[in-house]
Amino acid sequence: MADPRGFLTTTERELPSYRPVEVRILDYREVEDRSTQDEAMVRRQASRCMNCGIPFCHSACPLGNLIPEWNDLTWKGDLASAVERLHATNNFPELTGRLCPAPCEYACTLGINQPAITIKNIEHSIAEDAFEAGLVAPQVPAFLTGSTVAVIGSGPAGLAAAQQLTRAGHTVAVFERDDLPGGLLRYGIPEFKLEKSVLDRRLAQMEAEGTRFRTGVEVGSDITGAELLESYDAVVIAVGTPQRRDLHVPGRELEGTVQALDYLTAATREVHGQGPTPISAEGKDVVIIGGGDTGADCLGTAIRQGAASVTSIEIMPAPPVQRPDNQPWPTYPRLYKVASAHEEGGERLWATSTVEMVDDGQGRVGSLRLTEVRLEGGRPVPVPGTERVIPAQLVLLAMGFTGVAPTGVVAQLGLEVDGRGRVVRDNQWATAVPGVFVAGDAGRGQSLIVWAIAEGRSVAAAVDRYLSGSTGLASPVTPTQVQFQP
């Protein structure tokens, strides 16, 4: 195990610093300053791991990451073994080390009465150090099975499924409607959270292993469902939840009201030299409706574009700073969080609802009429006498996603979509159409990156079993499994 006395001698969390706000808002580089971390810091944090008899961090991670094992190996300085243990359960630790909200840390046993181990940062450090040391090489299959698989969607679920199936010897083609693979990883997450060179580095490994990427292909029109079934032995639907939640209030049709993902995509394309963005926040009063991660991504982007002001609105009241009694350890609590973007500026309004988007007289949104709300029976109710108007020339809807549209390839394949916008599947990840499987948000609903990767790995095992009669691939989760919540 790691240092038997580590949790006694090192009692504080140590993390790399962010670059200064006044510096980082001038560019789109990742906000973390990795130069403020050395190997000794990471090893000290790894030494705090108690190698629990029952490692609850495992229960919180759908991937089943072997956290105590790679903590121990990190403390000992055995990078090669640590990254092998990390990749044993996670295809993309450099992505989860940046983007996962780390439910494992909230389930850390040490976190009962001390600050939890910096599991996410240790994972990030192992992955980056391994790439730098040349320890992440393509794993080319020893033989080909002769079976072909089409994966629709190149987000984390689709990529994980594709890599696992390629390594099992199947010939895999990943279809992506955008010009480059990655799904939301490519265009939905800003560069300051995930530099695309990190994604491209992993995609290059997958291509070297034999995975083929078909970009700029709209499945359902450029290639039909019938053509997929005719050309491939199995099909994996991993399209995420492309349906965006909308806001139905007076004035919604006004110019200047934009879905957050459209805004972030345009901004990322501009950063990568694909032309100026048609949706800029420069000089505008920006209002972001939705207080989650996507809202924070919009906030950081708007600040970098030179917005005059940015206001984030959340209809629910502010969550507590400390773990409440009804969300005990080791559950993943809903807490007040400050993302890096929140440190950079802007105002956050809680328990606030939009009543109307007000026309500026030229068919554009010029302001928002807001009201405070209170919860009654768990539902927000307007508080009389609290209405006010704030300026807004750009309104970004960051309210999440509602599911898969029952059209296009879903309709062509005859797949069933339930009331929550999820493609219906059985306990073997299969739809009612032989050879068609579903993974990720398309089957689960909007969730975390670790769930997407876990589902991709699990669906790969199911497809391998379908094609070969048996499988040696890992299957960390079931289609109906959920993380315990109070």
Side-chain angles (χ1 to χ4, degrees):
M1 64 177 292
D3 183 356
R5 296 181 56 82
F7 70 97
L8 297 174
T9 57
T10 303
T11 59
E12 298 299 324
R13 284 168 62 90
E14 297 175 280
L15 290 167
S17 302
Y18 289 160
R19 294 189 293 132
V21 169
E22 62 273 16
V23 173
R24 70 186 193 233
I25 63 173
L26 300 177
D27 60 43
Y28 285 85
R29 290 169 44 220
E30 289 186 1
V31 299
E32 273 194 344
D33 183 359
R34 306 297 293 180
S35 69
T36 62
Q37 169 182 284
D38 58 18
E39 181 182 353
M41 178 195 294
V42 180
R43 292 179 70 176
R44 278 195 302 272
Q45 284 299 303
S47 77
R48 299 176 67 221
C49 180
M50 298 189 296
N51 195 17
C52 310
I54 301 177
F56 282 88
C57 53
H58 286 193
S59 69
C61 178
L63 286 165
N65 277 340
L66 305 172
I67 296 165
E69 294 188 31
W70 40 260
N71 276 338
D72 178 44
L73 293 164
T74 297
W75 178 66
K76 293 175 179 175
D78 188 347
L79 177 61
S81 297
V83 76
E84 184 279 323
R85 290 285 78 196
L86 190 53
H87 277 129
T89 58
N90 187 354
N91 296 72
F92 314 123
E94 71 282 6
L95 300 181
T96 53
R98 288 171 165 84
L99 304 175
C100 179
C104 54
E105 293 188 9
Y106 291 98
C108 173
T109 304
L110 188 59
I112 295 175
N113 58 7
Q114 284 190 32
I117 297 166
T118 58
I119 298 171
K120 177 179 174 179
N121 185 58
I122 296 170
E123 174 184 44
H124 185 179
S125 300
I126 294 171
E128 288 304 313
D129 290 348
F131 270 107
E132 187 175 337
L135 297 175
V136 184
Q139 298 181 29
V140 180
F143 63 91
L144 296 178
T145 64
S147 296
T148 57
V149 183
V151 176
I152 316 304
S154 64
L159 293 179
Q163 186 167 61
Q164 292 292 93
L165 287 165
T166 297
R167 290 174 174 179
H170 305 300
T171 300
V172 181
V174 179
F175 290 86
E176 171 55 55
R177 64 182 177 182
D178 281 327
D179 57 332
L180 293 170
L184 290 182
L185 296 170
R186 173 70 60 183
Y187 291 121
I189 296 176
E191 194 83 356
F192 57 80
K193 283 180 63 176
L194 174 66
E195 292 183 9
K196 303 314 171 215
S197 59
V198 174
L199 174 61
D200 291 334
R201 180 179 62 186
R202 183 63 75 172
L203 292 171
Q205 181 203 35
M206 293 182 64
E207 288 184 313
E209 292 170 347
T211 301
R212 305 171 184 181
F213 292 95
R214 303 284 185 261
T215 57
V217 178
E218 181 73 51
V219 176
S221 55
D222 297 326
I223 182 171
T224 66
E227 290 170 333
L228 281 176
L229 293 177
E230 182 179 350
S231 302
Y232 294 89
D233 299 311
V235 176
V236 175
I237 306 295
V239 296
T241 51
Q243 297 268 82
R244 295 94 179 266
R245 182 171 283 108
D246 212 331
L247 183 64
H248 303 289
V249 297
R252 167 62 182 89
E253 75 285 352
L254 294 172
E255 186 180 350
T257 302
V258 180
Q259 285 285 352
L261 188 56
D262 294 337
Y263 170 70
L264 292 173
T265 297
T268 300
R269 287 186 180 279
E270 181 180 49
V271 170
H272 285 273
Q274 298 180 33
T277 175
I279 318 169
S280 177
E282 184 177 3
K284 297 175 182 176
D285 297 300
V286 180
V287 176
I288 303 164
I289 301 178
D293 289 341
T294 302
D297 293 344
C298 290
L299 170 62
T301 301
I303 289 173
R304 284 161 176 77
Q305 289 180 340
S309 69
V310 187
T311 304
S312 299
I313 296 174
E314 170 58 51
I315 196 169
M316 299 301 289
V321 175
Q322 300 294 330
R323 184 191 287 272
D325 291 339
N326 68 340
Q327 298 175 42
W329 176 89
T331 62
Y332 182 58
R334 184 174 182 270
L335 300 175
Y336 182 86
K337 296 178 181 178
V338 178
S340 63
H342 295 134
E343 298 177 349
E344 297 166 359
E347 181 183 7
R348 302 174 79 177
L349 301 180
W350 300 90
T352 301
S353 179
T354 303
V355 176
E356 180 186 8
M357 299 181 184
V358 182
D359 196 327
D360 68 352
Q362 300 180 20
R364 291 188 55 87
V365 63
S367 57
L368 290 189
R369 189 179 305 279
L370 308 176
T371 182
E372 295 179 14
V373 297
R374 60 171 176 261
L375 293 182
E376 292 184 4
R379 300 180 64 84
V381 177
V383 177
T386 62
E387 283 196 9
R388 62 179 173 128
V389 176
I390 64 172
Q393 298 86 52
L394 177 61
V395 179
L396 303 175
L397 304 181
M399 301 165 58
F401 304 88
T402 60
V404 176
T407 56
V409 70
V410 172
Q412 292 171 2
L413 291 173
L415 305 181
E416 181 183 356
V417 178
D418 68 15
R420 292 177 56 189
R422 303 173 301 184
V423 179
V424 175
R425 58 193 183 184
D426 63 18
N427 60 5
Q428 297 299 317
W429 306 92
T431 69
V433 180
V436 179
F437 300 78
V438 182
D441 290 2
R444 172 171 294 275
Q446 187 178 350
S447 190
L448 306 177
I449 183 173
V450 278
W451 277 102
I453 297 172
E455 289 220 356
R457 289 172 65 86
S458 298
V459 83
V463 172
D464 188 34
R465 187 180 298 107
Y466 170 79
L467 295 173
S468 306
S470 63
T471 185
L473 297 178
S475 184
V477 294
T478 65
T480 58
Q481 183 177 337
V482 295
Q483 180 178 313
F484 172 76
Q485 292 289 351

